Each structure stands twice: as structure tokens, then as C-alpha cells.
Amino acid sequence: MKITIGVDVGGTNIVCGAVESSGRVLAKVKRPTGASDGSAAVLDRIADMVNEVRAAAGAGVSVESVGLGIPGLVDPAAGVSRFASNLKWRDIPVAAELGQRIGLPVFVDNDVRMYVFGEAAAGAGRGYEHVLGITIGTGIAAAIVNGGDLYYGYKGMSGEIGHIRMEGVNEVCSCGLIGCLETVASASGMVRQARKALEAGRASLLAERFSGEGLERMTAADLSSAMDEGDALATEIITRAGRLNGQALAAATMTLSPQVIVVGGGGALAGERLLAPLREELYRSVLDNFREDLQVLTAEHNDDAGIIGSALYARRSLESK
Amino acid sequence: MKITIGVDVGGTNIVCGAVESSGRVLAKVKRPTGASDGSAAVLDRIADMVNEVRAAAGAGVSVESVGLGIPGLVDPAAGVSRFASNLKWRDIPVAAELGQRIGLPVFVDNDVRMYVFGEAAAGAGRGYEHVLGITIGTGIAAAIVNGGDLYYGYKGMSGEIGHIRMEGVNEVCSCGLIGCLETVASASGMVRQARKALEAGRASLLAERFSGEGLERMTAADLSSAMDEGDALATEIITRAGRLNGQALAAATMTLSPQVIVVGGGGALAGERLLAPLREELYRSVLDNFREDLQVLTAEHNDDAGIIGSALYARRSLESK
């Protein structure tokens, strides 16, 4: 059986998996990225992980190629990571250097594009011609797949919807702009909003659980729990994040006309708490024609979409070479 | 010489032109649409116009195909106008019916897409790989051309950026939504804003020129003249329209990553009066990476882009058949 290997390179962890053409994951390993060791050490680590899952996948399989999803700006044609701030990578020829180490063709692309490619090919977007995927995590980003093809735009920079300016949002974003969607509607943004409110003395179940330095340990999952227990602050923050994502997606929908929107990333774990207000705002903000068929679904392979997408992308890239 | 014919079907007028492969217009005729006569009569009229420009283009040319830009929802693959409110057309098989009348292959698509295709192929967007075109007229719409290919999306409904909800806009749109960009930032929207202010007694040069029923004659060009004479109301309305268009284009830019934005339609005739605030708002609302190379240009063939685009689109469609 011919398989491909997908690698999801994150700022904290690297996940590497052996993936069948159907998208099924045969074997998987996860390691800390250790970005501070430098890019050569990280590439050595990835090469080890590739060999490990290759062995774990069994004797009957032959690995044809490897795909990598890398955060930040990536040049897929050149196989180069142009800029990844959390890895401190700039102009690293990943495809060539990893290819040398493992003796297989290597294809690279942006991690969110790989994630959405995975969901479009073998996840919630399967069977739809026009897929818009959004990941709600530390930041918010999107990617578009039409008829199996990823959309890139000039320098592959499309999909930066986390930095759209939103009505009524006044937070300064790490990018330097003011009022960016992701400052309040990403998983990190929601937590930041809660922390700020608690520090300002707002009453909440969260205030009883996290105080002082404990505030740093609070996560988006804690907000979900508090919302389930009827906490007003958590409900307010998650509902607002849902609405703002819905409003930004309404603009993206009328611009791009997807048939399905797949919502993934850590923020999507809030499920209907976030998706109900998201859908409500989205549907009431688009023209009738868009409202009719548009689906909003959560990602099917939230944890594995990155490796599945990278592996299937490598398969497709090798075939079309 | 082999040429193609482009037809721009508007609610008020039809323009039909014989176009060389370079985009040069050899001959052109313009007639009132007379939509109230029904679609059969309009198609008869278009057939006459096609034959007329064919004859006018001279004996040395052979017409290979005809392209039509039609407002509203168009299904290019089926050759059908699905819905055009100002023509009162619904499910009219334009390609088949016009093809029968003129004995030539006929290709149809949405008018804004044809306009932007014309500017991308033979106008301000020539030579750029990623072109976003926007027409600011009665409404506001956009189209995207990547590497010479039009972007469609599900049911070909992409590009409806005129209905994005804008901060601080509270007008009810003809589509039923509230706060749509085109209610205040289209050519018609600007005139409507001026009319409303004058009716409310606002002092302005325009109040001296247009009053009572005369208000109905006021156009976007009159607002431009008043702005040139230092009128505060006209300046305010055009500047705000420019800023709002810039803000909507910032969201579209981060979603799509164009390298050049081509601004056309009647509203673009306001030139730098509108474009200066548009650019200012656009550049200050996008991430640094987008700011570097992004160009904002006015359409080169504002009047003829529709027929040039339709003709070149027909040429391309015939070749790829």
C-alpha cells in the first residue's frame, strides 16, 4: 500500500502521521518542537519522526512523499518557509533540507491551508465543491478550497481574516492594528477578555477558580465550563466571540461564496456555545441567496486535520508534478 | 483577422462592440434596452446589434464568437440568465436563444465579472497575476481574476461586497439588510445621502442648484463638481464613501490577497476625490505584508471594459472548449 506522511509543525509541538489515501491515520507521533535549538535541529527531529512513523506503519506500506504544514508565510513552489515568528524561521529551505535527510520528495505549505485542505478532502467538507475553513486558536485564519484546489492569492497571503477590523472592538492587536477580530474572538482573545474583566474586579465563577497568578492558567475550556454553569461573564465573552466570527464570516461568504464553512482550531471545542451565536449572526448578515444552502460545520478531525491535510496535499502535489 | 463580439446588457442600455484579441474596439453600437418589451424582443435587438457591428468591423474580419455580460445571477456553464431584477429576466437560456438567431457560439456571464475580466486582461490589471476589481455604480460589486481565471464560488455568487455591513451605517438597503456598504458608498448611495441632507435643510451649493423636484436630477458628477468648489456636504459624502470602500476592500484584501485593486463604474469617475480617502483607509487597515506591494488603480476602459471583457471571455471560452 502506498501512503504519505503529514507533519504539522507548531510553535509548541510537532505531530507527524502516516496517512492512507482515504485520510485514515495509520500511525502518529508527537514531540515538543524545541524551536530554540534552531531550524537544523528541528529538521533533524522531524526526520527522526518521519522514520519512526514509517516504521510504525508496518512492513506492507511504501511512503511516497511527505507534506509539512508550517505556520506563517510559506512559499510552496520554492519549498521555503519565508517567515514563521513562533519558530523564529526566516527563509528556511525546508523541502530541500528535509528531503536530503529522509530521501523522499517533500512539499510544504501554510499550516492553516493544510488543515483546511484535510477537512475539505477527508473531513467535514468532504463532498462539497466550495469549502471555506476557519481555525479559531491563538489567532484566527481561513483557507479556501474550490474543486479540490487551494486558493492562494498574491504571495499566498490570502485568508488573514483574523485581522479584519470589527465594529465595537478597540483592543490593540499584536500585529499593531486596532480592533482585529482575533483580539477578542480567538481562543486566546476570549481568555484575555476574561482575564481583563477579572482583574477589573468583575464577579464570576472564574474569579473563584482563578485569581492572582492563577489567572495565567485559565484556558478557553475553563470559559466553556463556566458558561455551562450559567456564568454571565463566560457566556458574554463566548457569545460575543461567536457573533463577531459570524459577522466576519458573513463578509467572507459574500466575497467568496462557499457552500460550507468548516470551523476548527481550539476555539471550535466550545462547540454550540460558540457556533449557535456564530450561525445566527452569519445567517442574518448575508443576502437571501447565500442563506439558502450554506452549511456551518465543526471540523471532523480537529486534532489530526493538519497531518491528514499535509499528507494528502503531498500525495496530490506528487501526482500533479 | 479573427475577432469576437462583446455585449454589455444593462438595465438602461445595451452596448455591443467588435473587439480584437488585444482588446482594441473596432466598432461599437449602443441602444436602449427596452426591457419592458420582454426577453425575446431584447434578444432580437441584440442579434441586430451583433450583425451591425460585424458589418461595421469591415470585410477582412471574421467573427468567431459572442460574449454577453448580464446583470444578476448567471449560470455560465448552462448559458442561462438565472435572475436579473432590472431586466425582469428569470431562467432565460440566453446562449441558446441568441446563438440560434446569429449562428455563432454565445457565452454568457455576470456583467461585473466581464467588466473585471476586461480590465484584468486588457486594462489597468494587465500584467498582474492577482486582480481584484470593484465597480462602484448603482450598487457595489467585485470580481477576482487569478492567473487569467475568474473566481466563481458556489453558484457563481462571489463578489457581493456591496452588502457587507459597515460600522456606523444604518440605512436600510433594497436587499432588506441594514448598513450595507452600497447604501452610502455607491454612486447612487452618495446621491441619496446628498438628497436626504438637502431635504433635511442642510446648507450646500447643491441646495442652490437642485431643489424640490430638481433633486431627482442630481448625479454623482454634481457632487464631484460641488466638492471641487469646496462644498462641505459633497466633500463629506464622497470622503466617507471613499473611506467605507477602503475599509471593505481591506477586509477583501486580507481574505483574497490581490496584488492590484482596479476601481471602476460610474463612482470611479470621482477619481482622486474618492480614491485618496479609499487608499488611505485601505492601507491603514491591512497588515504590513499586504501594504508593501498593493496597487489601487482606476479602470482604464471604464466605458468599454464590459464589452472588451465579454469579447475576450468569449474568445477564451471558445479556445478552452
Side-chain angles (χ1 to χ4, degrees), chain B residues 5-66:
Chain B
I5 286 176
V7 185
D8 191 10
V9 185
T12 311
N13 290 299
I14 298 167
V15 189
C16 175
V19 180
E20 285 182 13
S21 61
S22 66
R24 197 166 75 93
V25 179
L26 295 175
K28 187 167 81 165
V29 291
K30 183 174 177 174
R31 297 272 166 74
T33 308
S36 56
D37 300 341
S39 66
V42 173
L43 290 171
D44 285 343
R45 200 163 294 142
I46 294 174
D48 289 346
M49 293 170 76
V50 167
N51 290 326
E52 199 174 321
V53 295
R54 198 177 193 170
V61 307
S62 111
V63 176
E64 293 200 297
S65 59
V66 176

Side-chain angles (χ1 to χ4, degrees), chain B residues 136-222:
Chain B
I136 302 176
T138 313
I140 295 177
I144 308 138
V145 181
N146 285 298
D149 288 324
L150 278 160
Y151 178 96
Y152 287 92
Y154 181 59
K155 287 190 177 168
M157 298 193 300
S158 64
E160 291 287 3
I161 68 167
H163 299 281
I164 291 177
R165 187 162 83 235
M166 302 304 295
E167 187 165 352
V169 178
N170 297 304
E171 309 284 321
V172 177
C173 184
S174 59
C175 74
L177 297 173
I178 293 169
C180 293
L181 174 67
E182 66 179 45
T183 59
V184 299
S186 64
S188 311
M190 287 189 269
V191 170
R192 211 159 35 229
Q193 292 296 103
R195 216 172 270 153
K196 231 170 94 173
L198 297 181
E199 280 167 354
R202 170 90 185 252
S204 161
L205 286 173
L206 294 163
E208 299 162 22
R209 285 165 200 171
F210 304 94
S211 62
E213 290 177 10
L215 267 183
E216 292 301 316
R217 292 197 319 274
M218 186 170 60
T219 66
D222 297 317

